[in-house]
Amino acid sequence: MNMQTKTKQTGTLGIIEAVPETGATGPLTRAISRRRLRRRQWHIFVECVLMIILDAWLISIAFALAYNFRLSLNYQPGFFSQLLAFARQNLLADPSIKQELADISQFQGLEFGIMLGLIMIFAVRGLYSIRLTGTWFRQCWNIISSATMGLGFVFAYFFVFQPAGSSRLLVLFTWGAAIVILCTSRLIVSGAMGLLYRMGLGETRVLVVGSGRLAKLMMQHITANPNLGYSIVGFLHDMNGPPCDFGRFKMLGMLEDIGPVIRSLQIDEVIIALPSAMHQQAVRSVKMCERLGTSFKLIPDLYALSLSRIDVEAIEGIPLIGIKQVSLNTAGRVLTRCIDITASALILLLGSPLWLFIALVIYLTSAGPILYKQTRVGLNGKHFGIFKFRSMYQDADQRLAQLVKNNQAAGPIFKMKDDPRRTAIGKFLRSTSLDEIPNLINVLLGDMSLVGPRPPLPSEVAQYEEWQKGRLAIRPGLTGLWQVRGRSDLNFDEGVLMDLYYIENWSLRLYFLVLLRTVPAVLFRRGAY
């Protein structure tokens, strides 16, 4: 008997959803199930089985390299052989004893034990459940700590049973070689997996439920890390403001459209990022994901605060939740200030021949001062004069009013890709960010830091909404999260969210991470004009 179906139009999308009257699984549901099965098989085979085989092979290579290195100490003079001789002279009861290393075939049991033991420790500590892209430091830490744990077990075995014909030094060398080889292989695998994800193999299609600040931050972070293998299909609007797209992210409908969106776009994973006041809507979204068999993740929103500012302690088993008032503490300010001064002075000093050459070119190619000083807004709204290499003609400020209609940026800023006010050398300086090198003078003066939100103009701050003024809570920076994530390719609201994320989640790790990511951002000129 043929199954009878009816259709209905739902939500703001106008998506026609097939509703089987008999409850049978429709073609879209079967397609989603097949796609989910392929992703599960990809994870089991590629990210688990192949990695276990690869790790076993690499541990075997590490053992062979360690054996050959240990063997060379007996016959080739060098620093390590001298160190070994010194140890024999001072640590052995009879220094005349010189142990000959047995043939490598005699150590097969030790090699197999190390290999099996390390893989078991890796598995127990979750190394094979970590996504292979975007988490290299986490993987390396897991490898180092697991290998060290295994080394401790082997040494404990030697101490208790004292087996004859074994080499503790061989175990130590295997530990070092395994760490270097396995960490290097994970870096290569991460790059290869990132390339496969960009080609669409094993990619995870993600729908974000929510349109508030939390949801927008999540979309930005995922898009800024394409190697993770996640692809943001779009988001659902949660009535937080007027319904519209958010920069490059497309609004696919309202919260009630989650079912048809998952079915029609074959969503692999749903990220629910709703404010705490919309608890019931979050529950309904979870139930819909469970009914459709789609995996989901919930992002907790505690009073719309950054999770890094939550301070939890317990008194007699009763949890107490507090809010950290300042993320950038006194010690952090002092340390980053020392780094700012030292690094700025070194860059200005070591690069002085290049800076003098740029100054000479500016002087010879266009009329006007070499350095351009402009009033900007800094920490807590304080005004200061920022220094830059002049990249525009002298009448640039006067001509701005004529070009406002060509503004290519949304929000209270002016951006124009082919700005006619730029000089010939100015185009090069702006695209390479060399025009901002004199900002280091402001860093030395204490008006700026190396990392922080870029300092805005007073006219821009006058147009800020209240939440956007939060980016003035710390010293402005030469570079920032907004700059390394795309600069002019991001709209104003996206950029401000990046700045606020940096402020609320400040740490030395994030500070140095932004500095390191500035180098490729400048070299590849992403969003620079």
Side-chain angles (χ1 to χ4, degrees), residues 190-495:
S190 293
M193 291 296 293
L195 182 61
L196 291 177
Y197 284 143
R198 287 192 182 97
M199 295 170 60
L201 296 175
E203 183 183 62
T204 302
R205 294 170 60 81
V206 175
L207 170 70
V208 176
V209 176
S211 57
R213 177 179 168 186
L214 199 62
K216 291 172 180 176
L217 275 175
M218 179 53 61
M219 290 188 287
Q220 287 175 322
H221 290 319
I222 290 176
T223 305
N225 295 279
N227 284 348
L228 291 174
Y230 293 107
S231 174
I232 297 292
V233 177
F235 68 95
L236 299 181
H237 185 63
D238 61 11
M239 302 305 294
N240 183 9
C244 62
D245 294 341
F246 177 62
R248 53 202 155 153
F249 305 110
K250 302 300 181 183
M251 189 194 77
L252 301 177
M254 311 302 287
L255 295 182
E256 60 268 21
D257 295 317
I258 183 171
V261 169
I262 290 175
R263 290 191 182 97
S264 62
L265 299 180
Q266 297 189 22
I267 300 299
D268 299 315
E269 187 164 309
V270 175
I271 296 178
I272 302 172
L274 294 173
S276 54
M278 303 187 72
H279 172 72
Q280 293 299 326
Q281 291 87 337
V283 171
R284 283 197 293 269
S285 298
V286 167
K287 289 182 178 179
M288 178 60 71
C289 292
E290 290 177 335
R291 187 163 68 86
L292 297 177
T294 303
S295 61
F296 63 91
K297 298 290 189 300
L298 270 170
I299 303 178
D301 179 27
L302 185 59
Y303 307 113
L305 293 170
S306 168
L307 295 181
S308 66
R309 296 180 60 195
I310 304 303
D311 185 22
V312 180
E313 59 178 311
I315 298 178
E316 295 295 331
I318 302 173
L320 302 178
I321 299 177
I323 306 299
K324 300 175 184 176
Q325 295 300 319
V326 181
S327 58
L328 182 57
N329 53 37
T330 303
R333 283 197 294 266
V334 172
L335 184 56
T336 52
R337 184 66 188 137
C338 292
I339 297 171
D340 289 343
I341 293 173
T342 304
S344 300
L346 285 175
I347 294 172
L348 288 174
L349 182 62
L350 298 178
S352 56
L354 177 59
W355 318 144
L356 291 174
F357 176 74
I358 292 175
L360 180 62
V361 174
I362 294 173
Y363 176 76
L364 295 176
T365 55
S366 63
I370 295 171
L371 292 181
Y372 175 70
K373 186 176 181 180
Q374 188 180 47
T375 301
R376 294 293 181 100
V377 181
L379 175 63
N380 295 325
K382 178 183 176 182
H383 288 202
F384 69 97
I386 192 174
F387 296 99
K388 300 178 69 174
F389 280 128
R390 183 174 56 82
S391 60
M392 294 187 175
Y393 294 105
Q394 279 188 288
D395 61 346
D397 291 337
Q398 290 73 31
R399 295 169 60 186
L400 177 61
Q402 306 169 9
L403 300 171
V404 170
K405 61 180 181 296
N406 299 319
N407 187 11
Q408 296 175 331
I413 54 175
F414 177 82
K415 291 287 182 180
M416 187 175 175
K417 194 165 188 178
D418 297 313
D419 196 326
R421 300 175 299 162
R422 292 180 300 178
T423 62
I425 182 64
K427 294 178 182 178
F428 173 77
L429 294 177
R430 295 287 286 270
S431 65
T432 57
S433 301
L434 289 174
D435 63 316
E436 296 173 357
I437 289 298
N439 287 178
L440 295 172
I441 298 173
N442 295 107
V443 175
L444 291 175
L445 293 174
D447 296 322
M448 295 177 61
S449 173
L450 288 179
V451 181
R454 287 296 296 167
L457 294 167
S459 58
E460 295 172 353
V461 175
Q463 303 177 58
Y464 278 7
E465 297 178 21
E466 194 60 35
W467 70 275
Q468 295 168 341
K469 294 179 181 179
R471 67 192 302 267
L472 305 177
I474 64 172
R475 281 194 183 96
L478 181 69
T479 183
L481 206 55
W482 183 348
Q483 283 63 47
V484 301
R485 289 284 176 86
R487 300 182 67 173
S488 299
D489 291 339
L490 302 180
N491 67 21
F492 181 72
D493 284 346
E494 282 190 81

